[in-house]
Amino acid sequence: MRNDSDEEHSFHVHVNDFQLMSVNGRPHHGHGLQDTASVPAKGQLVIRIHFTNYTGKTVLHWHILNHEDAGMMAVLEIVK
């Protein structure tokens, strides 16, 4: 996930949790899975996600209401 803006963004994936691998190129050593992560201003995240229990459509989006209203959402279609 890449954030080209000057403000931090909270990123969220529905259905499956993910593992946060790195923030701005530095390894993240957190524990467990999560469904939301903060993307730093002018920064990036690398996540790893394994879709095992769900097929179909779901969404990912930014947890800032005016961004969601502006269309900063995406539909994921998970297939086997």
Side-chain angles (χ1 to χ4, degrees):
M1 304 301 127
R2 190 176 77 205
N3 177 6
D4 293 330
S5 78
D6 291 321
E7 65 180 311
E8 183 176 334
H9 293 261
S10 183
F11 169 76
H12 176 67
V13 178
H14 285 231
V15 179
N16 277 78
D17 293 343
F18 56 84
Q19 181 181 10
L20 180 57
M21 301 302 293
S22 67
V23 179
N24 290 335
R26 291 184 300 276
H28 177 76
H29 301 290
H31 302 285
L33 299 173
Q34 55 196 78
D35 68 353
T36 304
S38 292
V39 187
K42 303 288 186 190
Q44 63 182 4
L45 301 179
V46 173
I47 64 171
R48 179 168 63 177
I49 190 166
H50 189 118
F51 296 102
T52 58
N53 299 323
Y54 179 83
T55 57
K57 292 183 180 181
T58 187
V59 296
L60 58 90
H61 61 97
W62 307 100
H63 266 180
I64 300 174
L65 188 56
N66 63 335
H67 292 167
E68 291 180 22
D69 291 345
M72 294 179 75
M73 300 180 77
V75 175
L76 297 173
E77 185 165 4
I78 303 159
V79 296
K80 286 193 176 198

